[in-house]
Amino acid sequence: MSSSIPSQSAPAEPQTKIALESKVIAITGANRGIGLGVAECCLVNGAAKVYSIDIGETGDEFQELSTRFPNQVFAVQGDVTQETSISAAVDKIVEEAGALHGMVVNAGRTNHRAALDFTTEEIEALFSVNLFGAFYTARCAARAFIKLGIKGAIVFTASMASYRPSKRVPSTPYGASKAGIRNMTHTLAMEWAQYGIRVNSVSPGLVNTAMTYWVPQQPDWEQQLKYYGGFPRLAEVQELGGAYVYLLSDAASYTTSIDIPVNGVIGI
Ligand code: NAD
């Protein structure tokens, strides 16, 4: 009688090293902010090539990364709200790099208003990037993985706002869009397990990017963060990278449908 359950999809040589050697990773919204920080962490941890798919222009920080990692980091234009645009960007990456192993679904936007004050246009714009765009991006990546026969990894950027509202800066559509991402993580992980595709998310707390420019403008903001407990500061983008690198790596080959909160501020 066999003493072990047969395993059909375990890797032939299980890996425990948390690294991205020879992997091609695409990240939406990586021209700056969290996406760019994740791109840097991927490269530092051995990724062969990292592609930013972004609607905006690259800036000095992106150029600096390109200089540090010549011929390893690239920017491709793409608008996640248009599935044809994101699909064309993914096709271009696969054509150029010959592979795609990981997709970080990160592009997002926010808007802080009381629920009664949001305009219809603002609500639609927010959902169209954060939720619909995330869904289109994940589908385009999954189609590419399946076509290439690669057991790829998808990592969404959710948010601590998906778990609980912020009393100081409420945004109902933002929180709902990010909660939708975590729900999508579980459903897609279930649907695409048959292809060996893993789907997970990372939930940052407050991170020092253009999105949180308003935080240090608040009077006594460090005191306020102290009041909420944890670290009385914003995270730097590189401090999130380890969670993404782990979820993208073969070390996480049996990890799917989870969220990793990276939140030094406990109660906000
Ligand atoms: P950011 O504004 O610095 O960067 C967002 C990037 O997304 C930009 O480069 C922008 O051009 C790109 N983008 C926007 N719309 C796009 C579209 N339609 N198609 C393609 N690219 C598009 O923001 P960030 O702080 O780096 O946020 C990145 C992600 O992290 C977002 O999903 C955000 O909701 C999430 N997040 C941020 C924080 C934070 O404190 N900064 C906390 C939790 C979650």
Side-chain angles (χ1 to χ4, degrees):
M1 197 171 81
S2 167
S3 60
S4 63
I5 299 166
S7 164
Q8 292 178 342
S9 56
E13 290 177 37
Q15 297 210 10
T16 50
K17 194 175 169 195
I18 302 175
L20 299 174
E21 270 126 26
S22 69
K23 289 200 189 296
V24 177
I25 309 292
I27 307 172
T28 61
N31 282 9
R32 67 180 197 199
I34 291 174
L36 187 59
V38 174
E40 180 182 350
C41 287
C42 288
L43 291 162
V44 165
N45 285 282
K49 289 182 174 165
V50 175
Y51 287 85
S52 169
I53 305 174
D54 204 300
I55 198 173
E57 299 298 318
T58 58
D60 291 346
E61 284 181 314
F62 189 94
Q63 299 311 330
E64 272 169 36
L65 193 66
S66 310
T67 309
R68 271 174 61 205
F69 293 92
N71 302 317
Q72 283 185 273
V73 51
F74 309 94
V76 176
Q77 277 286 316
D79 178 356
V80 298
T81 67
Q82 307 299 317
E83 194 164 16
T84 48
S85 169
I86 200 78
S87 171
V90 169
D91 285 350
K92 187 170 185 229
I93 292 167
V94 171
E95 198 183 311
E96 268 182 38
L100 181 65
H101 301 95
M103 172 65 83
V104 179
V105 184
N106 169 76
R109 57 186 293 168
T110 191
N111 224 335
H112 299 290
R113 305 225 188 301
L116 295 175
D117 296 335
F118 265 100
T119 65
T120 311
E121 291 72 24
E122 285 170 339
I123 297 166
E124 286 177 0
L126 207 147
F127 276 106
S128 117
V129 178
N130 290 14
L131 196 58
F132 305 151
F135 186 43
Y136 300 147
T137 306
R139 286 210 304 188
C140 290
R143 287 184 182 127
F145 295 151
I146 293 164
K147 204 166 156 190
L148 290 160
I150 287 175
K151 292 177 179 175
I154 293 170
V155 183
F156 288 104
T157 299
S159 168
M160 289 310 292
S162 70
Y163 286 92
R164 56 192 182 225
S166 163
K167 283 187 190 146
R168 284 188 309 129
V169 281
S171 178
T172 308
Y174 183 78
S177 71
K178 294 298 185 176
I181 281 192
R182 287 207 298 113
N183 182 284
M184 208 174 353
T185 299
H186 302 311
T187 315
L188 296 180
M190 200 172 62
E191 274 197 44
W192 295 341
Q194 63 183 307
Y195 306 110
I197 297 171
R198 297 181 297 104
V199 188
N200 296 292
S201 62
V202 173
S203 281
L206 282 173
V207 189
N208 183 15
T209 70
M211 196 176 269
T212 50
Y213 74 92
W214 52 271
V215 177
Q217 293 175 0
Q218 308 275 308
D220 296 331
W221 65 278
E222 280 167 317
Q223 285 304 322
Q224 288 185 40
L225 292 189
K226 266 187 196 153
Y227 168 79
Y228 287 107
F231 304 131
R233 64 175 178 86
L234 306 188
E236 295 304 324
V237 291
Q238 292 83 356
E239 294 183 277
L240 303 167
Y244 289 87
V245 168
Y246 167 65
L247 291 172
L248 290 166
S249 79
D250 293 341
S253 58
Y254 200 60
T255 301
T256 195
S257 190
I258 69 154
D259 181 64
I260 301 184
V262 184
N263 180 33
V265 180
I266 309 297
I268 201 166

